[in-house]
Structure formats: structure tokens, C-alpha cells
Amino acid sequence: MTEPVKTPANAQQGVKLKGEAKTARIPIKIVPLEEKLKKPSWIRVQAPSFNSRFYEIKDILRSQKLHTVCEEASCPNIGECFGKGTATFMIMGDICTRRCPFCDVGHGRPNPLDANEPRHLGETIAALRLKYVVITSVDRDDLRDGGARHFVECIQHTRELSPHTQIEVLVPDFRGRLDIALDLFAEGLPDVMNHNLETAPRLYKQARPGSDYLHSLKLLKDFKAKYPHVATKSGIMVGLGETDEEVFEVMHDMRAHDIDMITIGQYLQPSNGHLPVLRYVHPDQFKVFEDKAYELGFKHAAVGAMVRSSYHADQQAHGAGVTG
């Protein structure tokens, strides 16, 4: 089992590395394509509207000192989601202890946890009158419990201030802390437990340094065994070099580990300092993946080029029969 990629001991706390500065120390170096693949016609991103709630949501988030993965990971759906008044909240800061070269979230030595963040998050969700929220985080390998208790406190405050809001959490892998983390969730359970596998196991060393495919599967299976009434969910990207057969194999592994819901979307390169896109999957092939997912017994499958783990998460949960 590989060890998490270490942040240099002399790294300055609170300084966020992005792009090439972030990926300089990963085990397998990024090799850019001689000529980038041209984006196909089916890749379309809707720009945020000035007449939407886009800037209102951003102002509220800044006033409460909150972050969203929508912004930090440069999600292509941010205009649509913010415009509809929905967001995926990113807790525990905006600096990750991992250096995944597909991800646009910054890397470095994170600041200490903000003890007021769970309350601020609950107040914000209540103020926005959200019916469904996703709470995710950066990896926090610096914390003894990987941040699990902070997740639970966020769930508790949200339940208290917005009792009718459904809560999905998109968690890190809690490497080396799994038993502690899963026990802590007994104090505050989500409606959906989500943890992304991201890609095929063959590509983990280059795409997810510091992570382990079998460990991520174990997290979801162990959670389901401990809390069987909570829906579990995972997602992958395509375009990193995987084959269609490898996608099918990952889907089989998910079902063998009692995962209820799946998302499959197209990887888009955030910058030249990130892994290149090696293929754009055609909509017809996404339909093949979707059909296979339901054949394997997933309760819900969100599959398509612009699908992201938290995109239309409320609709995904409803499709899987998740009720508040």
C-alpha cells in the first residue's frame, strides 16, 4: 500500500500551490501531449448568468468564510448550480495535503481547523433554505482522525438548523484512520455517503498518488456494513487513459462492495500543469456505461460528459430512493 505523498517539512503553512508547482513532486511526471485533443461538440459549459443567484451565493460564502469545491476545483457546472441556488461546500480549508494531478484544488500545509466552521456552515445552509446539500473536504492527512469529527459536527449543526435538509458527504479516504473515522459518524450520519474512486486501479500511481484503490473500496463497504440504511455512492472520470473494459471492471468492483450509486463523467484538464486528456468519450459510449450500471444493479447512475460527483446530487439521491 503506497504512502501518502509527503508535503515538504519546510513548506509554509497556509501557502497554496497550484498547477505545476503542485504536481512537481508526484511519483510519475506529467508528460504533455504534443498536440492537445480538440474538445468535441458535445462538451458545452453554460456561463454563469448575471441575472442568476451566482454572485449572491458567492457573497454569502465569502461573508461566512466558507469555500465550495465548485470554485476550488474549477467545476464546469458552477454557473448552473450557483444559478439554481445550490452548492457543494468544501470544509476544512482550501489546501489539500495530497497532490492529485487531475485535481485543481491547491496543495500545501493546511491551516488549523476553524472551530466555528460547522456553525457557520449550518447557518449558511439555513439562510439559503437549501433542501439538499453536499459537504466535501480537502484531504487532511495532518489530522489524527482525518477530519471525520469535523464532518460530523457540520452534519450536526446542519441537522439542528435545517432539519428538513438532506445531507450528502463526499469524504476523503481517511488513510490509516478508517476505524476511528467510521465510528465517529455514528454521532451524525449523512443521508448519502460518497467517496470517489476517480479512476481505474492501474492509473492510481500517476493520478492518485498517496491513495489506494482497495482501501477506497473498503471504506465504502465497511461504512455500508456499519450503517446499512445509509446510501453509498462513488464516481470515476474517463479520459485519463483507462479502457472501456477497465471502466466495466471498476463498476463490478463497486457493486461487489455494496455501492448503491455511481457517477461517470469526462475528465477535463484544469491547466497545462495537470494530466492531459487522453480521450473524449462519445455520448454513445456513456450510454453503454449507463446501461451497464443498471444491469449490474446500481440504484442510480448519473453518466455523461458533464456529470460530476455532486452535479444534480439531489436528483441522483431521489432517483436512488433516498428520503429525508
Side-chain angles (χ1 to χ4, degrees):
M1 188 177 287
T2 56
E3 291 299 316
V5 176
K6 302 288 188 183
T7 301
N10 61 351
Q12 187 175 347
Q13 188 173 51
V15 174
K16 182 165 53 176
L17 304 178
K18 301 271 283 187
E20 293 180 6
K22 166 184 170 177
T23 59
R25 290 169 57 91
I26 61 174
I28 297 179
K29 299 307 177 186
I30 294 172
V31 180
L33 299 179
E34 290 187 9
E35 184 175 350
K36 280 188 178 182
L37 299 182
K38 184 179 179 181
K39 282 186 181 179
S41 60
W42 58 83
I43 302 292
R44 289 286 182 267
V45 179
Q46 183 177 350
S49 168
F50 284 97
N51 297 321
S52 72
R53 296 185 65 192
F54 182 85
Y55 294 106
E56 176 193 355
I57 299 290
K58 291 193 71 164
D59 288 345
I60 291 173
L61 292 169
R62 294 297 83 76
S63 67
Q64 289 280 37
K65 299 180 180 178
L66 295 173
H67 301 277
T68 66
V69 74
C70 321
E71 297 168 285
E72 296 301 328
S74 304
C75 179
N77 302 310
I78 187 171
E80 179 183 354
C81 293
F82 273 26
K84 288 167 54 182
T86 63
T88 297
F89 297 93
M90 190 167 75
I91 60 174
M92 297 191 280
D94 60 348
I95 297 177
C96 186
T97 54
R98 306 273 177 98
R99 295 176 180 265
C100 297
F102 65 84
C103 178
D104 205 27
V105 174
H107 166 78
R109 286 181 60 203
N111 291 313
L113 292 180
D114 178 0
N116 295 317
E117 183 176 53
R119 177 173 55 83
H120 287 160
L121 178 64
E123 291 171 349
T124 299
I125 291 170
L128 293 173
R129 302 180 302 280
L130 301 179
K131 295 180 180 179
Y132 194 100
V133 298
V134 180
I135 303 172
T136 189
S137 78
V138 292
D139 277 282
R140 291 297 302 257
D141 295 311
D142 59 312
L143 301 176
R144 185 171 178 271
D145 64 358
R149 180 168 295 283
H150 203 74
F151 264 104
V152 169
E153 290 175 358
C154 287
I155 293 171
Q156 291 171 334
H157 279 274
T158 302
R159 296 279 190 223
E160 178 184 351
L161 298 174
S162 299
H164 300 296
T165 299
Q166 289 183 288
I167 302 171
E168 176 177 327
V169 293
L170 173 55
V171 300
D173 62 14
F174 301 123
R175 285 284 303 277
R177 308 159 177 85
L178 187 55
D179 290 341
I180 296 172
L182 294 189
D183 286 344
L184 283 171
F185 273 100
E187 301 174 23
L189 285 171
D191 297 290
V192 176
M193 166 61 80
N194 186 354
H195 172 66
N196 285 332
L197 295 179
E198 304 292 10
T199 189
R202 177 177 61 85
L203 300 175
Y204 258 54
K205 189 171 184 179
Q206 69 185 64
R208 293 194 74 195
S211 301
D212 180 86
Y213 179 75
L214 293 178
H215 173 85
S216 286
L217 284 170
K218 177 177 168 58
L219 184 161
L220 289 160
K221 186 168 187 175
D222 287 0
F223 185 93
K224 190 69 170 180
K226 200 173 187 67
Y227 311 109
H229 63 288
V230 179
T232 51
K233 175 179 172 183
S234 190
I236 61 171
M237 303 167 291
V238 290
L240 286 168
E242 74 297 322
T243 65
D244 291 344
E245 186 56 39
E246 285 178 312
V247 173
F248 294 136
E249 289 172 0
V250 171
M251 294 166 73
H252 277 280
D253 288 343
M254 286 186 185
R255 289 300 298 131
H257 287 76
D258 301 324
I259 296 170
D260 299 309
M261 305 159 64
I262 185 173
T263 60
I264 305 177
Q266 173 68 54
Y267 169 64
L268 299 174
Q269 185 184 29
S271 78
N272 290 334
H274 292 80
L275 293 171
V277 177
L278 297 183
R279 67 164 174 163
Y280 285 104
V281 173
H282 192 274
D284 291 347
Q285 185 58 41
F286 276 117
K287 184 63 169 65
V288 172
F289 293 150
E290 181 182 17
D291 291 344
K292 185 64 173 180
Y294 285 114
E295 178 187 320
L296 290 172
F298 286 98
K299 292 181 180 179
H300 191 271
V303 182
M306 301 310 294
V307 167
R308 295 297 180 267
S309 183
S310 303
Y311 183 52
H312 291 173
D314 55 341
Q315 297 176 26
Q316 295 172 33
H318 179 75
V322 177
T323 58

